[in-house]
């Protein structure tokens, strides 16, 4: 009787620790606005890696890039960063989900030189290239 209680408790600990571990999956929802001044005009894509699936164009390419770059692709800009005041365009993107089990939530714009460089880290494989429109 005592051995079965110990076995049951051990099984419960194993199940609890397995469910507490973060998943190594990559699952993202990407929302893109061609013009951030028109918030209702947006496109949303999904991406899942391992197995590769989703509505994002070329999900295999995106999964390969995410495997290489990881969650650091979504890191925010440093607060004291000096950026050129070059406007890159009205595009905006919001990426929410997880990359290899690590939560990400990042907003991308093309408001200045630093934002443009950050946008280019995930373009064109996750969001359209963007740029100033006439």
């Amino acid at each position: 009787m005592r051995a079965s209680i110990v076995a049951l408790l051990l099984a419960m600990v194993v199940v609890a620790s397995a469910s507490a571990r973060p998943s190594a999956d990559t699952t993202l929802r990407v929302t893109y606005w061609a013009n951030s001044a028109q918030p209702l005009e947006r496109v949303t894509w999904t991406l899942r890696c391992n197995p590769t699936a989703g509505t994002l164009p070329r999900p295999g390419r995106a999964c390969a890039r995410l495997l290489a770059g990881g969650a650091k692709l979504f890191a925010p800009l440093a607060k004291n960063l000096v950026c050129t005041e070059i406007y890159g365009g009205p595009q905006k993107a919001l990426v929410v989900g997880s990359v290899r089990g690590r939560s990400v939530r990042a907003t991308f714009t093309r408001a200045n030189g630093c934002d443009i460089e950050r946008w280019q880290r995930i373009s064109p494989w996750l969001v359209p290239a963007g740029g100033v429109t006439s």
Side-chain angles (χ1 to χ4, degrees), residues 5-30:
I5 292 173
V6 170
L8 178 63
L9 288 174
L10 182 58
M12 290 173 59
V13 168
V14 168
V15 169
S17 67
S19 64
R21 265 187 244 134
S23 168
D25 291 339
T26 294
T27 306
L28 296 176
R29 185 180 75 239
V30 179

Side-chain angles (χ1 to χ4, degrees), residues 56-58 61-62 65-66 73 121-127:
L56 183 78
R58 301 180 70 187
R61 180 179 180 200
R65 293 285 187 122
L66 288 167
L73 292 167
R121 281 189 285 190
I122 63 165
S123 169
W125 53 272
L126 194 59
V127 296

Side-chain angles (χ1 to χ4, degrees), residues 26-47:
T26 294
T27 306
L28 296 176
R29 185 180 75 239
V30 179
T31 305
Y32 170 77
W33 293 266
N35 184 345
S36 60
Q38 299 172 338
L40 297 178
E41 295 182 23
R42 63 182 179 260
V43 179
T44 300
W45 298 287
T46 59
L47 175 66

